[in-house]
Amino acid sequence: MWTAVLLGTLGVYLLKLVGLCVPKSVLEQPQVQEASALLPVALLAALVAVQTFATGHDLVLDARAAGFAVALVAALLRAPFLLVVALGAGTAAMLRLIT
Amino acid sequence: MSTTDTIADRSWSRARTAVLRDAVGVGVAVGALGLSFGALSVLAGFSVAQTSALSLLMFSGASQFAVIGVMGAGGGALTGAATATLLGVRNSLYGLNLASLLRLHGARRLVGAHLVLDESSAMATARSDPREARLAFWATGISVFVLWNIATLAGALGAHVLPDPEALGLDVAAPAAFVALLLPRLRGRRLWALAVAAAVIALIMVPLLPAGIPVLVAGLTAIVAAFTARRAGDR
């Protein structure tokens, strides 16, 4: 796990530094701008999907899906960050309590 | 002459107070997220030391959540590190926008780079006066760094006193946090389509590929999408 921590740290730090050092022309290319805007969207969406609907190599529909749905609605209604998290977790907890 | 100086001084001191107040406010809000990061990291199997190392050294919220998400689901160390790194790509663009504003060199640049974040960049670029913008960058960066790390440690230590995390629904906290981070970015149909496509691609890959890889594959589709859409001139 230390490997992931340290390698990831190195990668993230170098990317931060690159922005401050690289001449503007390189990062100002439209494709680079576009890719860096799209990359977080795709990665976060994929992470959410996997954390909600996958257990190991199986796709499952359980209390997590309900919690996620509630969190999604809360986020769409522009609820504050912590409320989104609390509603999502709370929904899953309630469902597990009554089933 | 002296009157204009006084007026300038007074407006600078007012601006400085506003910048510092905002910086602390952002730090507190981010600290709340840090609490949940600390707890979730320990629940995902990281030690308190590893959890704190992530917040001290990696110091980039989405990347840190990605590492614990991927590793917690059984992904390999390289996959976790790669996902975190890819999520950090946006920091390069922030740095690019900040470089001409901050004009950092040598050691200050190395320290400043560590503070390049969503929050510090947003607060700095929101200020039109360069002096205020520089102050906003450093004040926000330092405020977030201090509060994020205190909160991480508190969350990590607190995780041990919690009962069964699943009974509390804590396994949903991370996806819910990601949704809250993601939605403000989804401006326009194209980004929504990309998000849905990435989610579907990742789920299709789950039974086929080792843990963590599906997320990376889905991320790469974004790069492909960026380049093909540009070539087609579709905007």
Side-chain angles (χ1 to χ4, degrees), chain A residues 10-33:
Chain A
L10 188 68
V12 169
Y13 179 73
L14 287 179
L15 283 171
K16 288 177 177 177
L17 192 60
V18 157
L20 291 176
C21 299
V22 159
K24 266 199 165 199
S25 56
V26 178
L27 286 173
E28 261 184 355
Q29 287 177 24
Q31 275 101 340
V32 177
Q33 294 257 345

Side-chain angles (χ1 to χ4, degrees), chain B residues 78-232:
Chain B
L78 287 180
T79 317
T83 311
T85 303
L86 282 178
L87 268 170
V89 167
R90 69 190 189 290
N91 289 329
S92 299
L93 280 196
Y94 295 154
L96 180 73
N97 288 325
L98 291 168
S100 55
L101 188 72
L102 301 173
R103 287 196 218 96
L104 298 172
H105 298 285
R108 296 192 111 216
R109 184 189 266 174
L110 294 179
V111 175
H114 197 48
L115 300 181
V116 172
L117 306 167
D118 294 325
E119 294 81 10
S120 59
S121 312
M123 299 296 277
T125 46
R127 298 268 161 187
S128 49
D129 176 61
R131 192 159 60 148
E132 287 174 29
R134 276 193 288 273
L135 178 66
F137 171 77
W138 289 104
T140 309
I142 291 168
S143 160
V144 169
F145 183 78
V146 170
L147 290 162
W148 175 251
N149 278 290
I150 292 173
T152 297
L153 186 60
L157 294 173
H160 289 302
V161 300
L162 288 174
D164 176 21
E166 290 208 354
L168 294 175
L170 285 184
D171 51 341
V172 183
F178 279 133
V179 165
L181 287 176
L182 177 62
L183 276 193
R185 294 175 185 276
L186 293 182
R187 284 185 223 100
R189 200 176 299 166
R190 193 160 154 262
L191 288 174
W192 272 97
L194 173 69
V196 172
V200 170
I201 289 169
L203 288 180
I204 292 173
M205 300 287 176
V206 159
L208 310 171
L209 298 173
I213 307 280
V215 172
L216 281 180
V217 172
L220 292 178
T221 60
I223 299 179
V224 176
F227 281 78
T228 51
R230 275 282 163 183
R231 210 165 295 149

Side-chain angles (χ1 to χ4, degrees), chain A residues 12-75:
Chain A
V12 169
Y13 179 73
L14 287 179
L15 283 171
K16 288 177 177 177
L17 192 60
V18 157
L20 291 176
C21 299
V22 159
K24 266 199 165 199
S25 56
V26 178
L27 286 173
E28 261 184 355
Q29 287 177 24
Q31 275 101 340
V32 177
Q33 294 257 345
E34 188 85 345
S36 74
L38 297 185
L39 202 51
V41 169
L43 283 171
L44 289 176
L47 265 173
V48 167
V50 169
Q51 290 182 338
T52 306
F53 299 108
T55 302
H57 285 288
D58 300 319
L59 297 182
V60 288
L61 205 58
D62 55 19
R64 288 176 299 169
F68 162 74
V70 171
L72 179 64
V73 171

